[in-house]
Amino acid sequence: MIRSSPQAWRYAAPVRYVLFNWITPEDVAKWETWTPEQQQADVDRHMAWFGKHRDHIVGGEELDEPRTVKTLRPGRQGEGVVVTDGPYVETKELLGGFVILETASLEEALAIASEWPSLAAMPNAIVQVQPGYVRG
């Protein structure tokens, strides 16, 4: 990542934060055993979260399953860029999606993130909040 200057670390409110939703293969397998009604209730909880916090949400996406992921790495000995299929089987956590929040402070972003529905429904759920840069 390239930063234009040391001042890039100084933020003026409001600030954007990216909420990363990490899931595990075990939690995906658990969700798939739920009845259609339980799955719909989970979707409804997430939709309610989005509705409650819509004034702070400026972007984001749910991501497709890992089987569709492509990973790019520098090749060896001048091979250029090498493209491989998805994350490795050994992957313990998968990026399920991200939400971009605009809040006045990190504390406010953390309060919103702490209400992410998967944190209550999935034993292995992880939410990571990271400041983002807004370049003009």
Side-chain angles (χ1 to χ4, degrees):
M1 178 179 291
I2 299 172
R3 293 188 176 82
S4 58
S5 70
Q7 285 72 31
W9 287 103
R10 296 190 183 129
Y11 303 110
V15 177
R16 287 195 178 170
Y17 295 92
V18 182
L19 181 159
F20 294 100
N21 172 30
W22 295 93
I23 57 176
T24 64
E26 294 82 14
D27 284 347
V28 172
K30 176 183 176 183
W31 194 87
E32 290 173 348
T33 67
W34 290 356
T35 66
E37 294 79 16
Q38 290 171 311
Q39 290 178 351
Q40 186 59 51
D42 187 57
V43 170
D44 292 345
R45 284 189 295 273
H46 283 80
M47 296 306 293
W49 182 91
F50 280 99
K52 178 178 179 180
H53 300 295
R54 70 178 169 265
D55 292 341
H56 294 289
I57 297 171
V58 296
E61 295 292 335
E62 180 178 2
L63 300 176
D64 200 0
E65 297 179 22
R67 63 181 163 71
T68 64
V69 173
K70 299 294 182 191
T71 301
L72 287 74
R73 292 186 169 85
R76 297 181 192 180
Q77 302 174 357
E79 292 176 353
V81 175
V82 177
V83 179
T84 59
D85 288 335
Y88 294 105
V89 175
E90 302 86 25
T91 300
K92 292 183 170 106
E93 297 161 352
L94 309 165
L95 184 58
F98 65 96
V99 178
I100 302 170
L101 301 174
E102 193 168 83
T103 63
S105 67
L106 174 59
E107 291 74 21
E108 185 178 15
L110 291 172
I112 292 169
S114 72
E115 297 177 8
W116 183 250
S118 295
L119 291 172
M122 294 294 179
N124 302 306
I126 298 170
V127 173
Q128 176 184 2
V129 176
Q130 184 170 344
Y133 293 103
V134 179
R135 306 235 188 244

